[in-house]
């Protein structure tokens, strides 16, 4: 059947018709809010390239978590800025580390919202890499033990889910093993499986003070040119015990989100990263785009592509609009 019997514009005539055939609906529980935690009390440091986002001390983080909960956002993901950094990133797995303390406080004072933690070394190492460095190389297997220790320390502090973002081979298996050995078999792993070596992470590295001090992350994060390889990453992570997988960044990788969802039919998260957020905010400030429109359209596209969950700096703003 074709035109003139069939006219697709009939259902575009008004908002009620458009609504009844709408295929994708955003909801506040699609979003996870990333938060940056730093030591101190009453500390609120602006992040220049990320309007309305701050490095916050734990007391102020609590307010953010409560607000997120009141907006219907189901979880936050925490990134830590430690007091001091060293070669081995020991602040990442210290019992009284910044994240461990933040989890404890949140769990004590707010319930009914998930605390997800990023498992990585880059914010804690003096060299800024996501693994152990020797002679200028990022070592894989030596890093696994540290990642496992980070995950265990987060679980012990009360984290609801751990999310390894380092891109070392074999880390999901190492984390699953240590969690199970310590009776944390019920803690799920959200693996950043398809994490690309992306230029879209710039603002985050300023926010988290995690820029590599030499070289780049191309020897562990994925080449933006590759799609099939992302499926191999995801397959391995599922075999190693990942419960949910992540594609990161989101908008430039909608094809990857789509393929992962179609191929594996498992829960998929997408990280709408700092650079994606900053571009929209900057262009909107210049009056070059309608920021709110671009935000909602972008989030809708990420969900339409197949994401079940979106980690996004827009979480509060978008939830307020819904
Ligand atoms: C840590 C990590 C990064 C992001 C999340 N976890 C940065 C990186 O790999 O350098 C980026 C998130 C963002 O840009 O919003 N490995």
């Amino acid at each position: 059947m074709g035109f003139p019997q069939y006219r697709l514009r009939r259902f575009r005539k008004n908002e009620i018709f458009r609504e009844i055939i709408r295929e994708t609906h955003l909801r506040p529980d699609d979003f996870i809010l990333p938060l940056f935690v730093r030591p101190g009390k009453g500390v609120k440091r602006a992040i220049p390239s990320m309007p309305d986002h701050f490095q916050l001390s734990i007391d102020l983080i609590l307010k953010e978590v409560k607000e997120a909960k009141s907006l219907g956002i189901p979880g936050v993901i925490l990134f830590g800025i430690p007091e001091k950094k060293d070669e081995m990133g020991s602040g990442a797995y210290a019992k009284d580390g910044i994240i461990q303390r933040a989890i404890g406080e949140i769990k004590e004072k707010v319930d009914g919202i998930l605390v997800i933690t990023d498992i990585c070394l880059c914010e804690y190492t003096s060299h800024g890499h996501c693994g152990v460095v020797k002679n200028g190389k990022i070592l894989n297997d030596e890093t696994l033990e540290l990642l496992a220790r980070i995950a265990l320390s987060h679980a012990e502090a009360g984290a609801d889910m751990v999310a390894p973002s380092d891109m070392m081979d074999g880390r999901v298996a190492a984390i699953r093993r240590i969690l199970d050995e310590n009776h944390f078999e019920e803690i799920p792993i959200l693996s950043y499986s398809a994490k690309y070596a992306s230029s879209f992470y710039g603002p985050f590295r300023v926010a988290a003070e995690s820029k590599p001090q030499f070289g780049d992350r191309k020897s562990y994060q994925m080449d933006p040119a590759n799609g099939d390889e992302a499926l191999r990453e995801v397959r391995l992570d599922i075999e190693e015990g990942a419960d949910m997988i992540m594609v990161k960044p989101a908008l430039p990788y909608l094809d990857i989100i789509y393929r992962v969802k179609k191929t594996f039919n498992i829960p998929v998260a997408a990280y709408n990263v700092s650079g994606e957020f900053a571009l929209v905010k900057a262009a909107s400030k210049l009056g070059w785009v309608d920021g709110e429109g671009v935000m909602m359209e972008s989030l809708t596209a990420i969900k339409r592509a197949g994401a079940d969950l979106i980690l996004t700096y827009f979480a509060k703003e978008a939830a307020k609009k819904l």
Side-chain angles (χ1 to χ4, degrees):
M1 186 175 64
F3 178 81
Q5 291 77 22
Y6 194 46
R7 290 172 183 267
L8 286 160
R9 289 186 55 190
R10 286 180 190 132
F11 278 151
R12 291 178 201 151
K13 195 159 41 194
N14 62 42
E15 181 51 25
I16 305 177
F17 273 132
R18 289 192 291 271
E19 176 57 29
I20 63 169
I21 66 154
R22 189 159 291 142
E23 300 169 33
T24 308
H25 292 88
L26 287 172
R27 307 191 319 192
D29 66 5
D30 294 325
F31 309 134
I32 298 293
L33 175 67
L35 294 173
F36 299 98
V37 198
R38 70 168 303 130
K41 218 175 170 242
V43 181
K44 181 174 185 175
R45 282 206 204 165
I47 303 161
S49 49
M50 298 177 71
D52 300 323
H53 284 269
F54 303 88
Q55 295 181 341
L56 298 171
S57 52
I58 295 176
D59 51 325
L60 301 182
I61 285 284
L62 289 173
K63 283 195 188 159
E64 283 289 309
V65 177
K66 285 179 193 156
E67 191 191 350
K69 185 191 164 183
S70 73
L71 289 168
I73 293 167
V76 296
I77 181 161
L78 303 180
F79 298 95
I81 297 110
E83 215 104 38
K84 51 185 191 314
K85 304 176 190 249
D86 58 36
E87 273 291 293
M88 299 297 274
S90 62
Y93 39 89
K95 229 185 158 58
D96 61 348
I98 182 71
I99 290 294
Q100 289 78 0
R101 282 187 284 133
I103 302 167
E105 290 266 338
I106 296 170
K107 282 291 148 190
E108 198 184 303
K109 306 211 166 99
V110 200
D111 61 1
I113 183 159
L114 299 174
V115 176
I116 306 167
T117 57
D118 186 79
I119 307 294
C120 199
L121 284 163
C122 60
E123 294 129 56
Y124 305 89
T125 48
S126 41
H127 45 71
H129 277 288
C130 306
V132 176
V133 172
K134 208 170 176 185
N135 302 326
K137 274 195 165 164
I138 291 85
L139 303 180
N140 193 89
D141 298 11
E142 289 76 355
T143 301
L144 298 182
E145 192 204 328
L146 298 185
L147 295 168
R149 281 174 68 181
I150 303 174
L152 178 60
S153 74
H154 291 179
E156 283 170 344
D160 295 294
M161 176 152 73
V162 293
S165 73
D166 51 281
M167 289 299 279
M168 298 300 125
D169 289 324
R171 90 272 211 201
V172 173
I175 291 170
R176 187 71 271 161
R177 192 176 322 116
I178 199 166
L179 290 179
D180 289 356
E181 281 167 7
N182 289 276
H183 309 292
F184 290 110
E185 51 281 291
E186 288 185 3
I187 302 290
I189 299 175
L190 161 58
S191 179
Y192 288 68
S193 304
K195 176 172 176 179
Y196 287 87
S198 170
S199 298
F200 284 88
Y201 304 150
F204 174 95
R205 290 182 188 168
V206 175
E209 303 178 9
S210 63
K211 193 173 173 293
Q213 298 303 305
F214 68 89
D216 52 41
R217 303 209 200 290
K218 289 181 186 166
S219 77
Y220 41 106
Q221 298 181 346
M222 281 188 57
D223 182 340
N226 296 352
D228 292 345
E229 189 189 352
L231 301 186
R232 294 198 288 278
E233 281 282 6
V234 170
R235 171 170 293 115
L236 272 176
D237 281 0
I238 295 171
E239 284 168 8
E240 290 179 27
D243 300 281
M244 184 182 290
I245 73 91
M246 199 194 301
V247 175
K248 176 183 172 190
L251 280 183
Y253 299 90
L254 292 182
D255 59 323
I256 309 300
I257 297 173
Y258 180 82
R259 289 176 69 184
V260 166
K261 189 66 183 176
K262 278 271 178 268
T263 308
F264 299 102
N265 195 27
I266 54 154
V268 174
Y271 202 140
N272 178 222
V273 301
S274 57
E276 299 176 65
F277 175 78
L279 290 182
V280 177
K281 288 293 175 189
S284 166
K285 196 170 161 194
L286 285 166
W288 289 358
V289 297
D290 161 13
E292 238 179 56
V294 171
M295 166 181 78
M296 296 312 270
E297 185 177 333
S298 302
L299 295 169
T300 302
I302 295 166
K303 185 166 182 181
R304 191 193 64 231
D308 300 287
L309 205 54
I310 307 171
L311 291 81
T312 178
Y313 303 96
F314 290 120
K316 287 201 304 183
E317 204 180 332
K320 280 178 195 160
K321 271 216 71 163
L322 292 167

